[in-house]
């Protein structure tokens, strides 16, 4: 089942209090971005939001499951969980959940940048022989 363009257009309204979003096609669905960071994923008209250790409890408390797909016969869990249905009708709720997930995406990007900087620094160090 594919994602409809109408659903993607609707998400622009859903997140209007959060700020402008961009939807980019990927893997049969869409990545949902704000300020260059992907904080959401849409597959088959189902919205998933970015999860990390800091915001995971908001999702687990509501029993919102992870996005799982199968690759080479094995399940793959991504760091995205189902969005609560209430955010589709309540713009303030949508802004709150989007902000939490956008911040998770920001933390993930910052961690990757820090790891990259460490790796580059290690390469510059003279080898001890």
């Amino acid at each position: 089942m594919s994602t409809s363009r109408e659903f993607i257009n609707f998400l622009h309204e859903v997140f209007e209090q959060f700020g402008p979003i961009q939807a980019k096609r990927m893997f049969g669905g869409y990545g949902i971005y704000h300020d260059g960071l992907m904080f959401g994923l849409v597959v088959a008209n189902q919205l998933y939001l970015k999860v990390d250790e800091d915001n995971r409890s908001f999702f687990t408390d509501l029993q919102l499951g992870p996005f799982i797909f199968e690759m080479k016969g094995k399940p793959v869990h991504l760091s995205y969980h189902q969005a609560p249905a209430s955010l589709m009708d309540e713009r303030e709720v949508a802004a709150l959940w989007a902000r939490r997930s956008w911040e998770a995406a920001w933390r993930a990007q910052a961690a990757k940048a820090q790891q990259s900087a460490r790796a580059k620094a290690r390469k510059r160090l003279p080898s001890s022989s």
Side-chain angles (χ1 to χ4, degrees):
M1 179 182 218
S2 64
T3 297
S4 71
R5 192 68 211 165
E6 292 81 21
F7 185 76
I8 296 301
N9 290 339
F10 176 61
L11 290 180
H12 288 277
E13 295 174 31
V14 167
F15 292 121
E16 65 189 354
Q17 286 189 14
F18 171 63
I21 63 166
Q22 298 78 41
K24 298 180 183 178
R25 284 191 82 34
M26 58 184 299
F27 311 115
Y30 288 83
I32 306 300
Y33 293 77
H34 174 73
D35 284 345
L37 291 175
M38 185 173 149
F39 74 95
L41 173 67
V42 177
V43 176
N45 289 339
Q46 174 65 55
L47 175 64
Y48 299 87
L49 297 172
K50 181 77 171 163
V51 174
D52 70 0
E53 291 308 311
D54 288 359
N55 71 348
R56 184 177 314 279
S57 65
F58 295 108
F59 293 87
T60 56
D61 287 351
L62 295 176
Q63 298 179 343
L64 298 167
F67 175 70
I68 303 170
F69 69 97
E70 200 168 293
M71 184 187 305
K72 298 179 182 178
K74 296 186 180 195
V76 177
H77 296 247
L78 295 184
S79 58
Y80 291 85
H81 281 236
Q82 286 179 314
S86 62
L87 72 73
M88 294 298 179
D89 298 319
E90 300 175 41
R91 301 303 183 249
E92 292 162 358
V93 171
L96 174 64
W97 282 83
R99 172 71 51 205
R100 289 174 182 157
S101 291
W102 185 86
E103 289 171 353
W106 184 88
R107 286 187 295 269
Q109 181 184 37
K112 283 181 186 178
Q114 192 174 43
Q115 286 176 338
S116 177
R118 285 186 193 138
K120 287 178 185 176
R122 281 193 295 271
K123 286 181 181 179
R124 288 191 301 256
L125 291 175
S127 61
S128 51
S129 308

